[in-house]
Amino acid sequence: MAAALDEARSAAAEGEIPVGAVVLDQDGRIIGRGRNAREGISDPTAHAEVLAIREAARALGDRILDGCTLVVTLEPCAMCAGTILAARLPRVVFGGWDEKAGAVGSVYDLLRDGRLPHPVPEVVAGVREAECVALLREFFAERR
């Protein structure tokens, strides 16, 4: 989570919503990094999770991220949850809950929706939650 928090801080420094993500391979090495970049590259899909997953897939040369773990500072949204399922990530770890758009247990629970034809990943929530949430609160407080 420390590396994901570093990515989130970098996003904030660039004027982006401070969300950061990393993908770890089965040996715990970082093979993908991402931070929100929607404003900077004018791309509505440039969420931290999507960018980290794309980089990990390139690193492995495969769209299936078997044995990998996504670590992200904020509960993934529906788009990111779909990307997680498409990549067949077996584990997702996140920090803060997203009570407005979360799709991994708060508003929706797409990862564990048995109607979808994907394996159900393990979800670990609330890791360094206070730190992750504080970054977001500070970011939005400065903009009000």
Side-chain angles (χ1 to χ4, degrees), residues 15-44:
E16 300 280 353
I17 295 172
V19 178
V22 294
V23 175
L24 309 173
D25 69 10
Q26 57 194 5
D27 296 320
R29 292 181 301 241
I30 295 173
I31 59 169
R33 293 177 180 272
R35 60 180 170 260
N36 276 0
R38 294 182 315 164
E39 303 300 325
I41 64 173
S42 299
D43 181 350

Side-chain angles (χ1 to χ4, degrees), residues 10-133:
S10 294
E14 295 168 1
E16 300 280 353
I17 295 172
V19 178
V22 294
V23 175
L24 309 173
D25 69 10
Q26 57 194 5
D27 296 320
R29 292 181 301 241
I30 295 173
I31 59 169
R33 293 177 180 272
R35 60 180 170 260
N36 276 0
R38 294 182 315 164
E39 303 300 325
I41 64 173
S42 299
D43 181 350
T45 69
H47 288 206
E49 301 95 311
V50 171
L51 297 177
I53 290 168
R54 285 177 185 165
E55 188 172 288
R58 282 192 300 272
L60 294 179
D62 197 340
R63 68 178 185 84
I64 304 298
L65 301 182
D66 192 40
C68 295
T69 300
L70 172 70
V71 180
V72 60
T73 58
L74 183 65
E75 177 186 4
C77 70
M79 177 185 68
C80 293
T83 304
I84 290 163
L85 291 172
R88 305 264 171 36
L89 277 156
R91 257 173 317 293
V92 176
V93 176
F94 70 86
W97 291 92
D98 185 347
E99 299 296 331
K100 293 181 180 175
V104 185
S106 61
V107 179
Y108 306 102
D109 197 351
L110 295 177
L111 297 188
R112 292 174 282 217
D113 188 328
R115 297 171 294 182
L116 297 174
H118 300 288
V120 176
E122 173 189 2
V123 175
V124 179
V127 176
R128 295 178 72 173
E129 182 175 9
E131 261 180 281
C132 295
V133 170

